[in-house]
Amino acid sequence: EAQVTQNPRYLITVTGKKLTVTCSQNMNHEYMSWYRQDPGLGLRQIYYSMNVEVTDKGDVPEGYKVSRKEKRNFPLILESPSPNQTSLYFCASSLDFGGSGTYEQYFGPGTRLTVT
Amino acid sequence: GIQVEQSPPDLILQEGANSTLRCNFSDSVNNLQWFHQNPWGQLINLFYIPSGTKQNGRLSATTVATERYSLLYISSSQTTDSGVYFCAVRSGGSYIPTFGRGTSLIVHP
């Protein structure tokens, strides 16, 4: 089954304790991205990756890191989480992001993160 | 950057009713997608529709790119249609999609 998976689905942690949220897709997609969703602010992109070893900042990258060492995986790293990073996080992938029209994004199930 | 406005922000329907959701955008786009976020938070693709009309069962969508809007039609609504509907667009030269704030739909039995 074609899918985007994220782990963990729920996480409660404390300020400053490094954490990683994993994301994996099995569709051989080139483009992957991370979003956070907050009430009243909607979905905002954190980072995206056009392909292996190619990443770039989205709208709200502060406090986050990413890496793309393999095509299928795109982990999100919070090196020193703070309470303002409490949010619902989504990973997404698409075949590519070019003008060919294959932009259709597929989302993972979401990770609900609480930082106390 | 591009602005995306969705209307109405909230919608309450009785089961069986029809509805139209609108997405206006401030610049030309080459990508537009409609999503449904169900009450459990899952984001589900509905349509990839930068232009033209598509239909999938009770749902259909039309994008008039030259006039900078897209419409999502829901016919014979069901309680399972409840949730938030988002449109997301990307304009030429940007790799970052912009999401609207969504339309929250509640369908009562």
Side-chain angles (χ1 to χ4, degrees), chain B residues 24-96:
Chain B
N24 290 338
F25 38 94
S26 61
D27 202 351
S28 59
V29 299
N30 52 18
N31 287 290
L32 188 146
Q33 202 168 351
W34 282 97
F35 297 93
H36 173 218
Q37 187 168 34
N38 64 24
W40 295 270
Q42 187 179 8
L43 279 163
I44 301 162
N45 292 0
L46 296 177
F47 296 102
Y48 171 73
I49 186 167
S51 64
T53 297
K54 290 185 178 179
Q55 180 157 7
N56 184 4
R58 296 181 296 103
L59 273 61
S60 63
T62 295
T63 297
V64 184
T66 54
E67 297 188 21
R68 301 181 183 173
Y69 72 88
S70 183
L71 302 174
L72 177 69
Y73 305 96
I74 304 174
S75 65
S76 303
S77 58
Q78 300 176 357
T79 56
T80 52
D81 295 331
S82 296
V84 182
Y85 290 81
F86 293 100
C87 70
V89 305
R90 184 177 73 90
S91 58
S94 171
Y95 292 103
I96 302 172

Side-chain angles (χ1 to χ4, degrees), chain A residues 65-101:
Chain A
K65 285 177 59 177
V66 293
S67 68
R68 187 94 180 271
K69 294 183 169 54
E70 304 167 281
K71 197 170 187 178
R72 63 183 293 128
N73 296 323
F74 190 45
L76 179 69
I77 303 157
L78 285 71
E79 298 234 331
S80 183
S82 62
N84 65 12
Q85 292 178 297
T86 293
S87 188
L88 178 58
Y89 291 87
F90 289 99
C91 179
S93 74
S94 63
L95 186 60
D96 65 36
F97 211 70
S100 62

Side-chain angles (χ1 to χ4, degrees), chain A residues 98-116:
Chain A
S100 62
T102 50
Y103 162 66
E104 186 172 10
Q105 288 200 94
Y106 297 87
F107 281 82
T111 295
R112 192 168 292 279
L113 172 65
T114 302
V115 183
T116 61

